[in-house]
Amino acid sequence: MAHWELRPASAADIEAIAELRAVVMRPDLERLGRFDEQRVRQRLRDGFVPEYAWVIEVGGAFAGCVALRPAGDARWLEHFFVAPHLQGSGVGSGVLRELLERCDRDGLLVRLNVLQGSAARRLYERHGFTTESQDPIDVFMVRKPAYGVGDG
C-alpha cells in the first residue's frame, strides 16, 4: 500500500479537487448520461466546505480528497476522490478505515451516496455500509458505528 497522509483542506485546494472530481466521476456520469464538463466541477465548488475536508497526499503530492460533513448524529462522507493512478493501491481503503474509526469512537452513523453502478460501492460495502435507499442515479448508504462511545 502506498504511504499516504491527510492534511486539512483549504479554499486554495478547490480547483485541484474539482478537476480530480471531473476525471474520477466522468466514466460513471457518462454511463448514466449525466456528464457535463462544467456542471461536474461547479457542483464541487458549490458544495465544498474546507473546514470538513482533508487533502490526501502520497509522497507529498496531491492524491485526492475526502470530507466528513456533520449532520445531526451522523456524518456525511463526501468528496471522496483518489487519483486514478492510485486507485486499487489501498490508499482509499486506508483513508476510509481511519475516518470510520474516528466516527466509531464518537458513536456516529456515517452516510454517503454513490452513483449507480460505481465500483466505489464495493469499497463501501467492504467497510460495512448498507443500502438505505436508491433512485435511478444514486445509491444512499449508511454505516452504523462498530461500537458505541466508551466501548473502544
Side-chain angles (χ1 to χ4, degrees), residues 53-145:
W54 296 270
V55 167
I56 304 164
E57 293 183 338
V58 173
F62 175 81
C65 178
V66 64
L68 272 177
R69 178 176 52 85
D73 65 347
R75 295 293 180 266
W76 275 91
L77 182 72
E78 299 175 319
H79 312 305
F80 191 15
F81 310 113
V82 175
H85 72 281
L86 291 168
Q87 291 176 6
S89 71
V91 170
S93 288
V95 169
L96 184 56
R97 190 169 27 258
E98 180 175 311
L99 295 179
L100 292 175
E101 286 171 1
R102 293 179 191 182
C103 291
D104 285 347
R105 283 192 299 271
D106 294 334
L108 296 168
L109 287 172
V110 180
R111 298 181 185 282
L112 61 83
N113 70 293
V114 62
L115 291 171
Q116 287 282 5
S118 172
R121 182 175 177 176
R122 290 189 301 276
L123 169 70
Y124 300 133
E125 289 170 341
R126 283 195 309 270
H127 287 271
F129 284 87
T130 58
T131 300
E132 194 168 41
S133 65
Q134 54 188 309
D135 62 33
I137 302 298
D138 293 301
V139 178
F140 294 89
M141 304 183 82
V142 65
R143 180 185 176 275
K144 293 179 181 174

Side-chain angles (χ1 to χ4, degrees), residues 2-17:
H3 176 72
W4 55 269
E5 294 182 349
L6 293 177
R7 69 161 172 81
S10 72
D13 296 309
I14 291 175
E15 290 308 312
I17 296 166

Side-chain angles (χ1 to χ4, degrees), residues 14 18 38-49 79:
I14 291 175
Q38 285 73 44
R39 187 168 188 257
V40 69
R41 291 168 178 85
Q42 194 59 47
R43 284 195 61 165
L44 182 281
R45 292 178 193 118
D46 291 346
F48 188 75
V49 180
H79 312 305

